[in-house]
Amino acid sequence: MEYQLCPSILSADFNRLGEQIQTLEKEGVKWLHIDVMDGDFVPSISFGMPVIRSIRKESKMFFDVHLMVSAPERYIQDFVDCGADSITVHAEACEDLERAVELIRDAGVKVGISIKPATPVNDISHLLEDVDMVLVMTVQPGFGGQKYIDDCTEKIRELRELIEKEELNTDIQVDGGINDSTMETVIRAGANLLVAGSYVFNGDLASNVNRINRKMQEIINTVE
Ligand code: DX5
Ligand code: ZN
């Protein structure tokens, strides 16, 4: 199983965005988590295509675009055109989730589906073999810096069991409230892609990445 730390640029200093992305890349980070919010599916508004297009020019990282947007089907091609490598849509935001998955697949990028903390795994379990990744939100989507919701751990466990039972390679990503202690909880429960915003960006970026990666590896060694 491939484990990755996926820094969320929602917590970046936008005045120095390019420089911070270069730092991540220099420190060996492979995935960049990009949170797009529309002020409708979630209360807040973040950024969209122009920002992604612009950072794409100087980065070779894997652009993991998390759409917290109502009816995201409308924008799949736009996000592919501006440089997404994977697109994750929310089950709660799509009228026809199967169709959204198909659209992303046909557009030639990796497919992710996400569930909010109150949405049961059961709502998406029929799609596990059609997607590359399931994103389990571990806070209410919309803002960085929130506290991890403990009830979500069980959903990660449930998903990992299903994936193993069906002998699939589907990744499990978690997003929200990841820190020194919750990182261990989510890895033990079966998550392999860890989104982190404030944990990575608060303080010195390069030394945070090094410290977090080391700690993550220590935990992985004990579960494998
Ligand atoms: C929240 C976003 C997250 C956010 C995580 O809606 O999807 O990606 O940046 O921030 P932290 O890690 O600070 O909880
Ligand atoms: Zn996110």
Side-chain angles (χ1 to χ4, degrees):
M1 189 159 30
E2 180 201 4
Y3 287 88
Q4 294 290 346
L5 174 68
C6 317
S8 162
I9 55 166
L10 192 63
S11 295
D13 173 357
F14 287 100
N15 200 31
R16 299 167 47 218
L17 182 59
E19 187 191 316
Q20 292 196 321
I21 292 175
Q22 276 176 20
T23 301
L24 293 172
E25 210 154 358
K26 220 172 84 203
E27 296 305 322
V29 173
K30 301 275 185 292
W31 279 53
L32 194 68
H33 185 79
I34 302 175
D35 287 308
V36 178
M37 303 181 184
D38 68 348
D40 184 51
F41 180 69
V42 290
S44 192
I45 298 176
S46 58
F47 48 78
M49 295 91 173
V51 170
I52 302 175
R53 196 175 304 115
S54 154
I55 58 177
R56 180 76 288 177
K57 283 189 221 146
E58 291 194 37
S59 175
K60 292 198 164 44
M61 268 189 273
F62 185 87
F63 278 15
D64 158 31
V65 176
H66 176 194
L67 295 182
M68 284 163 277
V69 169
S70 300
E73 303 87 342
R74 297 174 291 164
Y75 302 113
I76 305 299
Q77 194 56 52
D78 292 311
F79 282 104
V80 171
D81 292 343
C82 67
D85 293 304
S86 81
I87 295 183
T88 299
V89 293
H90 269 266
E92 309 85 358
C94 299
E95 205 171 297
D96 183 344
L97 184 59
E98 287 75 5
R99 176 86 192 113
V101 165
E102 220 175 270
L103 280 172
I104 303 173
R105 180 75 66 215
D106 290 349
V109 296
K110 301 256 188 212
V111 186
I113 51 177
S114 181
I115 46 176
K116 296 207 276 188
T119 305
V121 166
N122 207 16
D123 282 17
I124 50 101
S125 50
H126 60 291
L127 286 172
L128 288 183
E129 64 177 320
D130 302 320
V131 301
D132 298 290
M133 151 176 116
V134 176
L135 164 54
V136 178
M137 286 304 301
T138 43
V139 297
Q140 295 301 342
F143 302 96
Q146 302 179 73
K147 189 178 172 299
Y148 180 87
I149 299 173
D150 288 322
D151 291 350
C152 299
T153 310
E154 196 45 47
K155 289 167 64 178
I156 305 169
R157 236 177 254 131
E158 189 185 342
L159 253 178
R160 180 53 68 199
E161 265 173 35
L162 283 174
I163 289 167
E164 274 173 10
K165 200 167 102 203
E166 295 178 31
E167 298 181 1
L168 300 170
N169 292 319
T170 321
D171 289 310
I172 301 180
Q173 189 177 52
V174 287
D175 184 4
I178 299 304
N179 57 32
D180 277 339
S181 91
T182 56
M183 176 159 70
E184 176 148 10
T185 309
V186 297
I187 292 175
R188 293 203 182 286
N192 64 303
L193 301 173
L194 275 59
V195 176
S198 35
Y199 188 33
V200 172
F201 284 94
N202 286 0
D204 185 76
L205 187 55
S207 57
N208 285 349
V209 169
N210 276 305
R211 190 178 55 82
I212 295 169
N213 270 332
R214 268 203 312 275
K215 194 173 164 65
M216 197 162 143
Q217 195 52 54
E218 276 168 27
I219 302 169
I220 295 164
N221 290 343
T222 67
V223 296
E224 277 184 337

